[in-house]
Amino acid sequence: MASSRSVRRAQEPVTYKCALCDSEDGVRWYCNDCQENLCDRCKEFHSRGKKTKNDDVVSIGEANRQGDKPVPEVCKLHPGKLCDLYCSDCNVLLCSMCLSKLHKQHNLKPFEDEFSITKQHLKEHMTAISAKIEHFKNETSERHHVTEAFNDNIDTMRRDVNIQRTKLKKEVDSIADAVLAELSSMEKKGLATHKEDCQLYEKNVAELTRLLEKAEITNTSSVSMFEIESSLRTSLSLYDVNVKSVLPKQPNFVTGSIDRAMLAEMLGELHHKNQYEKTVIDSKHVQRLSKFTVNQQNQIFGICPVDDSHAWLSIHQYKGLVLVNRDGVVKSTVKLDFCPCRITMVGTTDILMTSNPRSIFVYKLSLHNKQVTTIADIRPHKAYDISINKKGEVFVSTNTPDIVVLNQSGTIVRKVPCGMNGKCIACLSSGNVAVMTISHNSLSITNESGTVQHTWTGELNKGQKVGQMQLCKMSRDKYDRLFVPNYTNNQVYVLPRDGTQATCLLDQEHGVIGPTAVGVDACGNVWIGCGVGTVHVMRL
């Protein structure tokens, strides 16, 4: 609250005299050219004078300046009174008549005092605004330069990709042309042989026809019959019909399988800074990015992250697949005639699936047209889990000691013995396969021939060992670390590449209940689906 002295000072009215008649009445005008106050009457004379009729006469509150003394505005509530007081509590200008119960006990200041302070603050704000404008101009310029360099880099890489594509096409065309040239050569040789054989046959037919005609004529004469019969006996021996012609063997072209992984490696690989770096697993530093429930009480069977913001889900007793974002918003659904169980993505274009209840079929969903096809029949086995290796081969677990391996067309190319009833599987980039036993108490890393390299039975890196385990759908990151959910203990374990000792990713503070499926996205975030239909997205 202001002191009584400051209030009295603030309440002293600021008066203005007309520069022409010294009147204090109706002084509401100011000539910016003459720098003079004017009353209503003198303003009229001023506006009609020969030398002053074009002067800039404005309301005294709109004056440019009056010496070094600030000019207050005319009060809107009380015409003729100037707003020569400032209420610090209400942050408003007011005249002496505005002092009422609203401002009586407030902190009042003379207009001139507050004007100078406010003017200084305004200058500071203007300086700050100018600095910020300059900053954002510089940022805009820098952003333009960075984007220009980024686009130039994209253009360079696009050019390199097209050069590699041209080289690959040229090599493929060269190989295909060589095969076609060989086919043309075979065709030419076959036609030449055909011509030679047919000419010989036609010659034999003509000669034998002449012999036959000669025999028919001689058949009426008994004298020459003996002679012609002897001649024919000698001639016929020259035409041996038991000699088989050497026919050309039918060629057979066996199409090769397209190894997409090898083609991608030959073309080149795109590296960008969005790829995550390997971090040490520490449950204390795990951060939950989001938590949502898709289908209450229904178990999440499979999670396939598309990028760091979206993932496809398969859900117990749901005939379809659901695409959700990290906030749990359903972005797309695909209706199916069956309930999918385990799912895995083929690049970004297709999803391979098994069904629940288990069947002998493996299915493929093409995302561009949402069409589902049956790509494999693995009878007598039944398909359970599914995974794809770096070469594009499809591994299917069967709850038996055999893992069925398919090519991209769905043809069974081999079987890998896992030495146990393999349930959940995950292909590693090294070429090995992680296999979980049906009894849920061990996990083995096998090579492509089925030889066990490592076995994990619950050993943790702090000298502890997991007790009861019910391991579910696991996944790997790009460093071949396995993320294995344990439904019984509400935990997810991270198994390193050597598969000896694991780290517990979660603790009770994370609140993950009954994890049943795990997926790792392109940024290393871990998507954890649970038995109650809840999904947690964790950042390491």
Side-chain angles (χ1 to χ4, degrees), residues 216-257:
E216 289 176 346
I217 295 173
T218 309
N219 189 36
T220 60
S221 174
S222 59
V223 176
S224 59
M225 184 180 297
F226 294 97
E227 296 178 358
I228 194 64
E229 187 275 334
S230 176
S231 175
L232 290 178
R233 189 183 315 117
T234 303
S235 299
L236 284 176
S237 64
L238 300 177
Y239 303 94
D240 188 359
V241 295
N242 294 318
V243 177
K244 297 295 184 181
S245 299
V246 179
L247 300 176
K249 293 183 178 179
Q250 294 295 333
N252 183 29
F253 178 70
V254 180
T255 57
S257 60

Side-chain angles (χ1 to χ4, degrees), residues 214-364:
K214 187 176 181 180
E216 289 176 346
I217 295 173
T218 309
N219 189 36
T220 60
S221 174
S222 59
V223 176
S224 59
M225 184 180 297
F226 294 97
E227 296 178 358
I228 194 64
E229 187 275 334
S230 176
S231 175
L232 290 178
R233 189 183 315 117
T234 303
S235 299
L236 284 176
S237 64
L238 300 177
Y239 303 94
D240 188 359
V241 295
N242 294 318
V243 177
K244 297 295 184 181
S245 299
V246 179
L247 300 176
K249 293 183 178 179
Q250 294 295 333
N252 183 29
F253 178 70
V254 180
T255 57
S257 60
I258 297 177
D259 192 332
R260 183 181 177 86
M262 183 177 294
L263 284 175
E265 186 174 347
M266 293 168 65
L267 178 68
E269 185 177 0
L270 179 64
H271 293 277
H272 51 89
K273 293 183 179 180
N274 290 334
Q275 293 180 332
Y276 63 95
E277 299 296 329
K278 187 175 182 179
T279 57
V280 177
I281 302 299
D282 186 349
S283 62
K284 294 181 179 179
H285 297 100
V286 173
Q287 174 189 359
R288 183 165 64 192
L289 299 178
S290 64
K291 173 187 176 181
F292 56 87
T293 300
V294 179
N295 196 324
Q296 192 68 33
Q297 301 300 323
N298 275 19
Q299 176 182 336
I300 304 297
F301 272 157
I303 298 181
C304 277
V306 179
D307 49 37
D308 63 335
S309 301
H310 300 82
W312 286 98
L313 306 178
S314 60
I315 305 171
H316 178 53
Q317 292 183 341
Y318 179 72
K319 290 186 176 182
L321 295 177
V322 180
L323 178 67
V324 297
N325 66 11
R326 208 166 67 186
D327 297 323
V329 178
V330 176
K331 310 300 289 187
S332 180
T333 58
V334 178
K335 297 296 184 181
L336 304 173
D337 294 331
F338 59 92
C339 295
C341 183
R342 306 303 188 192
I343 57 177
T344 188
M345 291 202 70
V346 184
T348 59
T349 60
D350 304 309
I351 297 178
L352 300 182
M353 301 170 284
T354 61
S355 64
N356 182 42
R358 294 187 301 116
S359 73
I360 59 176
F361 300 115
V362 176
Y363 305 91
K364 180 173 75 173

Side-chain angles (χ1 to χ4, degrees), residues 16 59-63 70-76 78 80-85 93-95 111:
Y16 297 96
S59 171
I60 199 167
E62 300 175 359
V71 180
E73 297 179 0
V74 176
C75 182
K76 296 179 179 179
H78 306 97
K81 296 295 181 178
L82 299 178
C83 293
D84 49 13
L85 298 174
L93 291 171
L94 59 150
C95 71
F111 167 76

Side-chain angles (χ1 to χ4, degrees), residues 372-404:
V372 178
T373 56
T374 302
I375 66 165
D377 180 342
I378 64 169
R379 68 182 70 190
H381 298 298
K382 290 185 177 181
Y384 186 81
D385 199 4
I386 189 167
S387 183
I388 301 178
N389 69 4
K390 190 176 181 180
K391 297 178 181 179
E393 294 177 319
V394 181
F395 285 66
V396 182
S397 66
T398 61
N399 271 1
T400 73
D402 286 330
I403 296 175
V404 177

Side-chain angles (χ1 to χ4, degrees), residues 58-110:
V58 297
S59 171
I60 199 167
E62 300 175 359
N64 289 341
R65 66 183 181 89
Q66 186 177 5
D68 293 331
K69 184 177 181 181
V71 180
E73 297 179 0
V74 176
C75 182
K76 296 179 179 179
L77 299 178
H78 306 97
K81 296 295 181 178
L82 299 178
C83 293
D84 49 13
L85 298 174
Y86 176 76
C87 179
S88 300
D89 296 334
C90 300
N91 193 26
V92 294
L93 291 171
L94 59 150
C95 71
S96 57
M97 294 184 65
C98 291
L99 289 176
S100 61
K101 292 182 180 180
L102 295 176
H103 305 283
K104 190 173 183 181
Q105 299 298 323
H106 289 186
N107 187 13
L108 302 174
K109 296 180 181 179

Side-chain angles (χ1 to χ4, degrees), residues 418-540:
C418 59
M420 61 190 107
N421 290 337
K423 188 175 183 182
C424 295
I425 58 174
C427 293
L428 307 179
S429 61
S430 62
N432 292 337
V433 184
V435 184
M436 187 187 303
T437 63
I438 192 172
S439 55
H440 308 295
N441 59 6
S442 70
L443 188 153
S444 296
I445 308 297
T446 69
N447 62 19
E448 292 182 334
S449 301
T451 303
V452 175
Q453 307 293 304
H454 309 284
T455 299
W456 181 71
T457 56
E459 295 80 9
L460 300 179
N461 57 3
K462 295 182 179 180
Q464 301 174 334
K465 186 171 182 178
V466 182
Q468 185 178 4
M469 294 195 301
Q470 186 176 345
L471 306 180
C472 299
K473 174 58 180 175
M474 56 188 168
S475 182
R476 71 166 179 91
D477 66 2
K478 70 177 184 180
Y479 300 105
D480 272 355
R481 295 182 298 188
L482 282 170
F483 292 76
V484 187
N486 183 359
Y487 180 84
T488 303
N489 294 344
N490 303 324
Q491 294 177 338
V492 174
Y493 309 114
V494 183
L495 198 63
R497 195 168 195 159
D498 59 11
T500 54
Q501 293 182 333
T503 300
C504 185
L505 177 66
L506 306 176
D507 53 31
Q508 293 181 351
E509 295 180 359
H510 295 101
V512 175
I513 306 298
T516 54
V518 173
V520 183
D521 66 29
C523 289
N525 301 321
V526 183
W527 298 60
I528 305 172
C530 299
V532 293
T534 301
V535 177
H536 304 257
V537 184
M538 301 291 188
R539 173 178 292 165
L540 303 184

